[in-house]
Amino acid sequence: MRVLVVGSGGREHAIVRKAAASSLVDEVHAAPGNGGIARQATCHFVSDADVSGIVELAGSIKADLTVVGPEAPLVAGMTDALEAAGFTVFGPRAEAARLEGSKGFAKEIMNAAGVPTAGFATFVEYESAMAHLATISFPTVVKADGLAAGKGVMVVEAREEAEAAIRQCFVDRAFGDAGLNVLVEECLVGHECSVLALCDGETILPLDPAQDYKRIFDGGKGPNTGGMGCYSPVPRVPAELVEEIIETVHRPTIEELKRRGIDFRGVLYAGLMLTGEGPKVLEFNVRFGDPEVQAIFPRLESDLVELMLATTAGSLGEHSLKWKDERCVSVILASAGYPESSSKGDVITGLDDDGQLEGLEVFHAGTAEKDGGFVTNGGRVLAVSALDSTFKGARDKAYAGVEKISFDGMQYRRDIAAEVVEAEG
Ligand code: AMP
Ligand code: GLY
């Protein structure tokens, strides 16, 4: 069969590598892909924002399965358009993707379903949002309702900062229309964790949890990013806790959607805070996490394509997941200026001809091919993932790989998975 993967990041490279390894798959295509993806897939110059262009491409390559990687095209209805044209698609339809596309909608569903989450208030007017600040304590969290490429969430320490965040939304329009609806949310404290699950509308199959590192600098300092590293599994989230999270978060959410006539098929990714009162939802995403899957997929023994097909067909109940009994650590290499900006065209050295490193899995995000090699082409450039029987072994291997790679302005965190290595003793 032919698989088409839509998107251009590390997540899409991870999906492409799994698809290429599947015994069901003869050809892998990507749109638009990136430098590393081009080593395993045929890349097509069609933007992942171009819904009709992707439908046309799926037709011309006769795609048997199209996987939509990022949130924006899902929210924009790419799945609906592909399905209407007769294609099989992995990724929820627009009405279900609203769980990520509107934080207000996600809260409405969680409240109706009794899913634990932070207390909040929503505002469509600058004045009332400002007035609300007199009634709350700090820190607090100000969120733009819509998609803002991970930048619409501001955790603020004091009232002046909250005022500035609200001004950014309503006055500066920093997040466009996404910021004209604002949530002011209770600040939760605890450890964060990502629990992703495949859902076919009925059956929910959890993937092993992953720990993302959101901030740019060591020790969780500096601005939020798309994610600077990851490890999986997460010892503080054992199987029983995953089960509890599925039953208190994922299942009631899917059921509340069903009550409203919305069929959720795809990945439901809960970003959670493990608080003293139990796990609470920070946000829902409706697609695979990036860099979560760069640490989850290397451990997955099951055929991802088979699972994605079962998700779309509603037959996940016949499947289970098989995992390697190993730990995975993934370190992100970012380009100069990230996350405020990014640098393009810096030559990357140290990778082999396939853009890989022996004994590791390297996932390309912001890379492009040039003269047979690779150059930077975005903020997050590469993810270097390593497996080992211990976190220490996986971490040492991942950082040994990182040391071999270099490009101008390369930045990465030195503390990915350090806490679990310490706990391992
Ligand atoms: P989100 O895109 O909603 O996951 O938010 C990005 C990051 O902001 C999260 O990973 C958390 O680190 C932080 N965050 C979001 N909501 C809250 C909250 N209610 N309390 C504390 N931190 C939060
Ligand atoms: N790792 C964060 C995300 O995928 O949204």
Side-chain angles (χ1 to χ4, degrees):
M1 64 183 287
R2 293 188 194 85
V3 176
L4 169 61
V5 178
V6 177
S8 62
R11 162 182 52 219
E12 285 74 28
H13 195 192
I15 297 167
V16 161
R17 286 176 65 86
K18 276 289 185 203
S22 166
S23 59
L24 300 171
V25 175
D26 305 301
E27 277 177 34
V28 188
H29 295 258
N34 62 39
I37 288 175
R39 293 296 202 264
Q40 276 96 42
T42 307
C43 291
H44 302 267
F45 291 109
V46 181
S47 159
D48 56 15
D50 180 358
V51 173
S52 57
I54 294 292
V55 173
E56 203 176 300
L57 175 63
S60 70
I61 63 172
K62 299 191 175 63
D64 299 297
L65 172 66
T66 301
V67 184
V68 182
E71 60 275 16
L74 291 168
V75 171
M78 189 175 280
T79 297
D80 310 57
L82 283 160
E83 283 182 351
F87 296 103
T88 300
V89 192
F90 181 84
R93 297 179 191 145
E95 58 180 9
R98 276 187 82 201
L99 265 191
E100 178 165 2
S102 165
K103 293 183 193 295
F105 178 71
K107 287 288 198 191
E108 182 189 322
I109 296 294
M110 284 190 270
N111 278 357
V115 171
T117 184
F120 72 103
T122 54
F123 301 94
V124 290
E125 279 174 356
Y126 173 76
E127 289 77 18
S128 44
M130 288 302 228
H132 177 71
L133 297 180
T135 70
I136 60 170
S137 58
F138 294 87
T140 194
V141 187
V142 178
K143 296 186 174 183
D145 179 78
L147 294 183
K151 296 192 179 101
V153 175
M154 294 152 281
V155 180
V156 294
E157 299 299 325
R159 186 160 167 184
E160 301 71 55
E161 248 185 288
E163 289 173 351
I166 288 169
R167 262 196 306 277
Q168 268 200 299
C169 293
F170 287 112
V171 183
D172 307 339
R173 301 261 180 124
F175 312 108
D177 288 351
L180 293 181
N181 218 317
V182 168
L183 283 76
V184 178
E185 205 173 281
E186 169 199 5
C187 190
L188 300 176
V189 284
H191 287 285
E192 281 185 50
C193 176
S194 307
V195 176
L196 287 67
L198 296 172
C199 307
D200 70 356
E202 289 292 333
T203 301
I204 304 177
L205 271 189
L207 303 178
D208 276 355
Q211 176 72 56
D212 186 8
Y213 289 73
K214 302 257 183 200
R215 306 294 187 111
I216 184 78
F217 300 129
D218 286 12
K221 299 206 167 61
N224 263 322
T225 69
M228 290 300 291
C230 208
Y231 64 80
S232 182
V234 183
R236 75 168 71 87
V237 189
E240 313 81 69
L241 185 52
V242 172
E243 200 47 42
E244 181 191 323
I245 290 166
I246 295 298
E247 295 310 321
T248 57
V249 173
H250 295 71
R251 197 170 309 281
T253 299
I254 298 288
E255 270 161 22
E256 179 59 31
L257 288 174
K258 206 188 296 173
R259 265 193 288 282
R260 297 171 185 229
I262 301 172
D263 184 35
F264 190 103
R265 292 185 191 211
V267 188
L268 180 57
Y269 158 168
L272 301 155
M273 189 71 89
L274 307 175
T275 75
E277 297 168 347
K280 294 190 180 182
V281 176
L282 293 172
E283 64 160 352
F284 279 129
N285 297 317
V286 298
R287 33 90 193 158
F288 287 120
D290 186 342
E292 278 86 347
V293 293
Q294 290 94 311
I296 291 174
F297 286 174
R299 299 184 56 249
L300 181 65
E301 275 185 355
S302 313
D303 186 326
L304 182 67
V305 171
E306 203 176 304
L307 291 165
M308 291 194 291
L309 286 171
T311 303
T312 63
S315 59
L316 261 186
E318 296 157 24
H319 293 262
S320 59
L321 301 181
K322 274 181 70 187
W323 299 97
K324 290 183 188 149
D325 189 20
E326 286 183 296
R327 317 282 173 241
C328 187
V329 173
S330 183
V331 180
I332 299 287
L333 308 183
S335 71
Y338 185 72
E340 284 81 16
S341 63
S342 64
S343 174
K344 296 189 174 178
D346 299 313
V347 174
I348 303 171
T349 61
L351 297 172
D352 68 18
D353 289 347
D354 277 338
Q356 294 295 312
L357 285 171
E358 205 189 324
L360 301 174
E361 282 207 62
V362 180
F363 300 104
H364 289 231
T367 73
E369 289 179 290
K370 195 175 178 200
D371 306 329
F374 302 93
V375 296
T376 64
N377 193 38
R380 288 189 292 172
V381 177
L382 297 164
V384 179
S385 300
L387 287 169
D388 194 81
S389 58
T390 64
F391 277 115
K392 180 174 189 315
R395 182 172 193 272
D396 288 348
K397 282 186 201 169
Y399 277 105
V402 168
E403 303 262 302
K404 295 194 179 124
I405 301 172
S406 98
F407 52 86
D408 270 356
M410 176 168 117
Q411 39 169 350
Y412 60 93
R413 280 180 64 156
R414 268 91 177 156
D415 63 349
I416 304 303
E419 45 166 12
V420 267
V421 169
E422 204 171 301
E424 221 169 37

